[in-house]
Amino acid sequence: MDAFIIADLGVLALAKKYAPQVGRHVSTRQALTNYEAAKVCYELGIARCAGPRAALTEIAQIRDNCPQDLGLEAFVHGAMCMSVSGRCLLSSYMAGRSGNRGECAQPCRWKYSLVEEHRPGQYMEIGESEDNGSYILNANDLCTAPFIDLICKAGVDSLKIEGRAKTFYYVASVVSAYRRALDAFLADPYNDSFELPDDVIEELNRTSHRHYSPGFYFGKEQAQQTPSHTYVRDWDFIGTVDSWENGVAHCTQRGKFAVGDSIEILQPDGSVVKLTPAWIESADGERMDATPHPMMQYTIPCETPLMAYSLIRMQKQ
């Protein structure tokens, strides 16, 4: 369904006037945390409200007190903004890059020290530990896959995955993981003993991320703080599959790997093929030991049929 995502009431009025046939959704930047605000949006012609990172009890309360045809959307995965609803101005002031326009420099992930005005250049640690310093605004990434059943039962209609400034590999991997999690819930939605398939978390660990937490869903105490600005990057995205025919995959290089390396291929349907290619050939048919050149075309043997647009990755050595 096509729709405008709106955070400004003036834009809402113009959308209703000039494009009444297009759906209208309220952006997370409206920070709707109570049902009275959500009901006002409904009365103004909003079809779906995208709330900020909130608690399960808050979502359930909004659902119970609003018209059933008002859709509710909730974040289920990705970075936790220190401003909750993404309206932080730090990046604009400190780096000249507006977070509200998708250009956030993420200054909340930076390491900060204390400086006294008459002692310039003397930086004093304000860290929680001697080793890690202080990242006073830095939160862990949100991951709700283990309790996706509770989010659905709270009345959420749409799951929101952070994808801004992310690679297409990240989006493909995370969306495929949540598709499997959601399908597992929908297969038996009245079962109170939801079991997340093991391969969901395995997939979510194959993208670059900070350490995971349940965010604010079970209270602010669970929204843990990351003790550094670093990411968990255990896997590399190394290529795409352009086509497959007669046991041979035609690929494009996005990262180097060598003959004998074990790789995985994530297909558009979410399935994963594990492979250790016995040979690599260049586009000219020359056998090679590795794929050293960016965007080079090459082929590898694979008995399993592969779908076009499949993504190739390899665990870091």
Side-chain angles (χ1 to χ4, degrees):
M1 177 179 68
D2 293 331
F4 296 118
I5 302 177
I6 300 170
D8 182 87
L9 293 179
V11 174
L12 171 60
L14 292 174
K16 293 172 67 175
K17 179 178 180 180
Y18 293 107
Q21 76 282 4
V22 180
R24 295 174 292 276
H25 296 178
V26 161
S27 165
T28 182
R29 281 169 173 72
Q30 273 290 338
L32 298 179
T33 57
N34 63 81
Y35 59 82
E36 291 293 351
K39 286 195 291 187
V40 169
C41 289
Y42 180 79
E43 293 166 359
L44 291 174
I46 293 297
R48 179 184 297 172
C49 293
R53 280 75 165 174
L56 277 171
T57 53
E58 293 173 325
I59 295 173
Q61 189 178 50
I62 293 173
R63 176 74 287 161
D64 291 343
N65 291 276
C66 287
Q68 291 302 303
D69 57 339
L70 173 64
L72 297 183
E73 184 169 299
F75 281 95
V76 295
H77 195 86
M80 290 282 290
C81 177
M82 54 78 63
S83 186
V84 182
S85 61
R87 296 184 294 179
C88 175
L89 298 176
L90 277 179
S91 183
S92 292
Y93 280 106
M94 299 179 70
R97 292 165 51 180
S98 173
N100 290 312
R101 297 181 179 179
E103 300 173 343
C104 184
Q106 297 188 329
C108 57
R109 314 301 183 195
W110 300 349
K111 180 180 179 181
Y112 291 90
S113 296
L114 182 66
V115 177
E116 198 274 327
E117 64 173 327
H118 299 296
R119 296 174 175 82
Q122 296 184 27
Y123 297 95
M124 292 168 275
E125 292 285 351
I126 53 174
E128 293 88 352
S129 69
E130 295 181 359
D131 296 331
N132 296 320
S134 180
Y135 298 85
I136 54 179
L137 305 176
N138 191 17
N140 283 351
D141 277 2
L142 174 66
C143 177
T144 67
F147 55 94
I148 200 70
D149 60 320
L150 300 181
I151 293 176
C152 294
K153 290 177 180 178
V156 170
D157 301 288
S158 176
L159 308 181
K160 193 174 184 68
I161 295 173
E162 180 215 13
R164 180 172 291 175
K166 298 295 187 181
T167 66
F168 64 83
Y169 167 70
Y170 175 94
V171 173
S173 175
V174 173
V175 169
S176 70
Y178 275 87
R179 178 72 268 173
R180 294 200 289 277
L182 188 58
D183 287 345
F185 165 71
L186 294 175
D188 191 7
Y190 299 105
N191 188 344
D192 291 331
S193 300
F194 172 69
E195 293 186 9
L196 183 71
D198 293 338
D199 61 351
V200 171
I201 295 299
E202 291 177 4
E203 185 64 49
L204 293 174
N205 284 332
R206 280 161 168 73
T207 57
S208 175
H209 63 276
R210 299 178 186 87
H211 294 287
Y212 289 135
S213 83
F216 297 113
Y217 278 103
F218 302 109
K220 63 182 181 180
E221 295 80 9
Q222 298 293 321
Q224 300 156 342
Q225 180 181 351
T226 295
S228 78
H229 67 289
T230 58
Y231 284 78
V232 178
R233 293 189 174 103
D234 294 332
W235 290 73
D236 288 325
F237 168 53
I238 60 173
T240 58
V241 175
D242 303 317
S243 63
W244 179 94
E245 185 178 7
N246 299 326
V248 176
H250 297 259
C251 310
T252 298
Q253 194 257 31
R254 295 298 183 104
K256 182 180 179 181
F257 80 100
V259 172
D261 286 340
S262 296
I263 62 176
E264 289 186 356
I265 301 174
L266 173 64
Q267 302 206 79
D269 64 358
S271 63
V272 175
V273 176
K274 297 184 179 182
L275 181 67
T276 303
W279 50 261
I280 302 171
E281 283 190 0
S282 69
D284 298 326
E286 178 184 356
R287 289 290 173 101
M288 308 179 66
D289 294 329
T291 59
H293 306 301
M295 300 300 292
M296 68 176 288
Q297 306 292 308
Y298 64 91
T299 58
I300 55 175
C302 181
E303 292 301 320
T304 304
L306 298 175
M307 304 168 65
Y309 306 109
S310 295
L311 307 179
I312 309 171
R313 62 193 177 201
M314 182 175 68
Q315 191 168 16
K316 291 181 181 292
Q317 302 298 322

